[in-house]
Amino acid sequence: MEFKAIIDAKARNDAGCAVVGIYEEGDLGIAARRIDTQLGGLIGKLHRDGDFSGKLGDILLLPTPAGAAAARVLLIGLGTRSDFGRKQYRKALQSTASSLGKTGASDAVVYLALEEVADLDVQYRARVVAEVFCAQLYKIPDLKTSVKPKAPRLSSVSVAVADARASKAAAEGLRIGAAIGGGLALARDLANLPPNVCTPTYLGTRAQALAKDFPSVKTKVLDESGIRALKMGAFLAVTQGSDQPPRLIVCEYRGAKKNKAPICLVGKGITFDSGGISLKDPPAMDEMKFDMSGAATVLGTMRAIAELKLPVNLVVIIATCENMPGGGAVKPADIVTTMSGQTVEILNTDAEGRLILCDAITYSRRFKPAAVIDVATLTGACIIALGNHFSGLMSNNEALADELQSAGIRADDRAWRLPIGEEFVEQLKSNFADIANVGGREGGACTAASFLSKFAKDLQWAHLDVAGTAWLGGAQKGSTGRPVPLLVDFLINHVRAT
Ligand code: BES
Ligand code: MN
Ligand code: ZN
């Protein structure tokens, strides 16, 4: 998809579709007023006659309207003017994108960014257009053998803005939005793949492919012997029951001065979580192919940052393996020595995410990072706490937590702060090792994060538990790509602030 910013007054007259908004009060948006005049007052009449109410997200396609300067006009309901804010703006665009995809138009001019949206500048308004169009037109790479529905014709979207200055800001917004869209699509593609395709080895090759596509990214993939050499005893314990070999993937992007401390993103890459010897119940076990969503989203974020050429140093670290039962699998009561030297009693082999992550976090120390953020589908308890709406956010650093939380709000990919600390670490006491890998049902998301905090120690660290947000189940089953939007927004603003 190609995105362009154009100045309203110079908008081409032969667009495949013009997209204009109407408020519920019958108040026509800026562009809608002009097009209404071209159409001899048709839009106003549709509203007065009750044929188009302007309710948020409502759509009405006017094909080949006589007098209009476009082949089609798509009316979008904006809801009431007083309620029109960031979320409503996004929702209106979601309706726009999905209905435009069903028309025959190959190009469209979207006039919605001309609308005043409380606290949103032009750059942001344009960014959301690109973001939403990319996300809405995303197709799962399915393996269905039936005839594929035709791909939408739409290949070019122009955003109309007021003047040259706004056009520059909008162009930058579109660039950001498209990069988020590209990162999101990569993350979703990887997570949606079946686990017999998306293995640790496969993730390694995709990370290498990313380095090919973006020469600013350097990828290193360690195999089991490399992981052993690093003494990652916890990571190795998780992989030992599986026939698929593990990988430690490291992608480095240097966009800022060499001596600037990098941000490290650490991703959980369990390509299938059966639970191991502590085997899971069958219902929804298939969804455990999504247990590599953390890995997928940190790679997606890397892609977006490299595409944006953001002046930041970014390191992505992915620990990836399967969690399987078997004669050689790790057992409840086994004790392992982590890369940090601390010993862990594995009481439940299904609490494997924290085992691979604790070693990956320890590994991140070699980059002397400014901050380490791990992303993981870590606990069912986090879904119980926050549903599918918020990612869990835990951190040992207030400023970092605040930055991440605000990024989530701006990107409409929200995270909610949950506590960590000594109280939860107390639950992880073991009679036989330094720490146990589970601490009972109570506060499960917090004990998991508190376990990780024992390895993050003095690092500026945050943890995003995306168990509830990384994918949808049921009829909508599929990856959401979250928290790519949050992370990209965080990094963009981190660069501005430092
Ligand atoms: N990958 C799961 C967490 C999960 C479960 C994510 C369901 C999304 C949906 C993780 O490895 C796990 O199994 N966690 C256990 C921890 C428990 C054994 C302490 C859990 O949440 O049940
Ligand atoms: Mn598990
Ligand atoms: Zn898991």
Side-chain angles (χ1 to χ4, degrees), residues 268 270 273-276 278 280 288 291 323 348-353 377-378:
K268 170 178 174 183
I270 297 290
D273 181 9
S274 71
S278 314
K280 286 184 182 294
M288 284 300 118
D291 211 19
N323 184 23
N348 187 326
T349 65
D350 199 10
E352 84 297 340
T377 48
L378 205 62

Side-chain angles (χ1 to χ4, degrees), residues 374 376-379 382 390-394 445 448 463-469:
D374 77 76
T377 48
L378 205 62
T379 64
C382 192
F390 292 86
S391 302
L393 164 62
M394 293 82 158
H463 161 66
L464 287 165
D465 191 334
V466 294
T469 52

Side-chain angles (χ1 to χ4, degrees), residues 329-344:
V330 71
K331 306 170 290 298
D334 281 1
I335 293 178
V336 297
T337 303
T338 62
M339 186 184 182
S340 73
Q342 297 175 84
T343 55
V344 178

Side-chain angles (χ1 to χ4, degrees), residues 11 93 121 129 144 155 240 297 324 334 338 409 429 456 496:
L93 282 167
D121 59 21
V129 172
K144 293 184 186 181
S155 65
Q240 75 188 41
T297 54
M324 296 291 274
D334 281 1
T338 62
I409 293 170
K429 264 200 170 152
R496 281 189 193 145

